[in-house]
Amino acid sequence: THQEFGIKCLVDLNRTFFTARMGPERIRLCNCVSRGENVLSLFSGVGLEGLMIAGRREISGLTFVELNPVAVNCLKRGLELLGRNKAVVVKGAKERVKILEGDAMEVLKSLEDNSFDRIIAPRPKESSTDGDLSSEFSGSNFLEAMLPKLKERGECHWYDFAADHEVEGGCPRTKKGIEDVVRQLGWRAEFLHAGKAGSGSIAKRQFRVCIDFR
């Protein structure tokens, strides 16, 4: 098990992806959530960020979506730990959580439009060059499928990969990719945050970044 800010999760280091270096980002994310929100966590892995939200915020509901069955099993056991955790002050935290196993693109088709106040989307890396300035924006298909699930004025936390010089410039390639998709949907994006997600790089001069927008 791994613990952050009093919340525990189960991790299989051989068959799931997890890094403790995202700890500061997880608590930042948790602090963004307001009382009564309905939250969707895509590509959730072992789900520590969602478990922290459920255990520390009085949300109305949280839906995890994860394809890896090993991660889903870790998540289910983490949810059991949450239910038994005496440090959790939010009553009924476990009962507000739903876990959906499957491919995010397929699961999104089954979810109602305009039903979530917040979406967390740490998209998977697609190739070794994903995140270089020379590469195209990746993830448009995910954005197109998930953004209609947001309520009006709902917020999205989009995790991308960026080169060091992109981060210094405020992640313009990622922002433009988001703006292009949002424009195609007939909306306009308001950016709230752009920066490194966690400490350290994921590869030479490459970083995981988070763009918050609504």
Side-chain angles (χ1 to χ4, degrees), residues 7-183:
I7 305 297
K8 299 177 181 179
C9 71
L10 189 74
V11 180
D12 185 329
L13 292 175
N14 293 320
R15 293 182 289 175
T16 63
F17 173 78
F18 181 83
T19 173
R21 291 187 297 179
M22 290 286 286
E25 173 65 15
R26 280 188 278 267
I27 195 64
R28 184 194 75 83
L29 188 62
C30 184
N31 290 335
C32 289
V33 179
S34 299
R35 185 176 187 176
E37 287 190 2
N38 188 24
V39 181
L40 174 63
S41 176
L42 297 170
F43 319 109
S44 56
V46 300
L48 182 53
E49 60 273 12
L51 294 172
M52 289 176 65
I53 291 169
R56 297 171 62 92
R57 291 288 183 265
E58 293 185 24
I59 55 174
S60 64
L62 190 149
T63 301
F64 287 108
V65 179
E66 173 56 44
L67 177 62
N68 180 355
V70 178
V72 170
N73 184 56
C74 289
L75 181 50
K76 289 178 179 177
R77 294 177 67 181
L79 191 57
E80 292 299 322
L81 291 174
L82 186 72
R84 300 195 302 266
N85 190 342
K86 294 181 180 179
V88 173
V89 296
V90 178
K91 294 182 179 179
K94 176 185 172 184
E95 286 68 34
R96 294 188 177 99
V97 175
K98 178 166 58 175
I99 301 171
L100 301 178
E101 181 177 351
D103 181 84
M105 293 294 287
E106 293 301 316
V107 174
L108 282 166
K109 295 176 184 177
S110 69
L111 302 177
E112 292 186 16
D113 288 352
N114 307 305
S115 56
F116 294 97
D117 300 283
R118 188 174 303 274
I119 296 178
I120 304 165
R123 72 168 182 86
K125 192 167 188 179
E126 296 184 359
S127 69
S128 59
T129 60
D130 193 350
D132 288 341
L133 187 60
S134 59
S135 68
E136 296 294 326
F137 175 72
S138 300
S140 295
N141 56 331
F142 292 126
L143 283 168
E144 291 168 3
M146 76 184 192
L147 289 181
K149 310 305 173 183
L150 270 179
K151 296 179 182 178
E152 185 176 356
R153 303 296 292 173
E155 295 185 14
C156 177
H157 304 275
W158 176 254
Y159 290 84
D160 201 2
F161 303 91
D164 53 358
H165 41 268
E166 293 183 285
V167 177
E168 293 167 3
C171 308
R173 178 175 54 87
T174 299
K175 286 181 177 178
K176 183 182 183 302
I178 292 170
E179 285 179 324
D180 289 345
V181 173
V182 170
R183 191 179 301 113

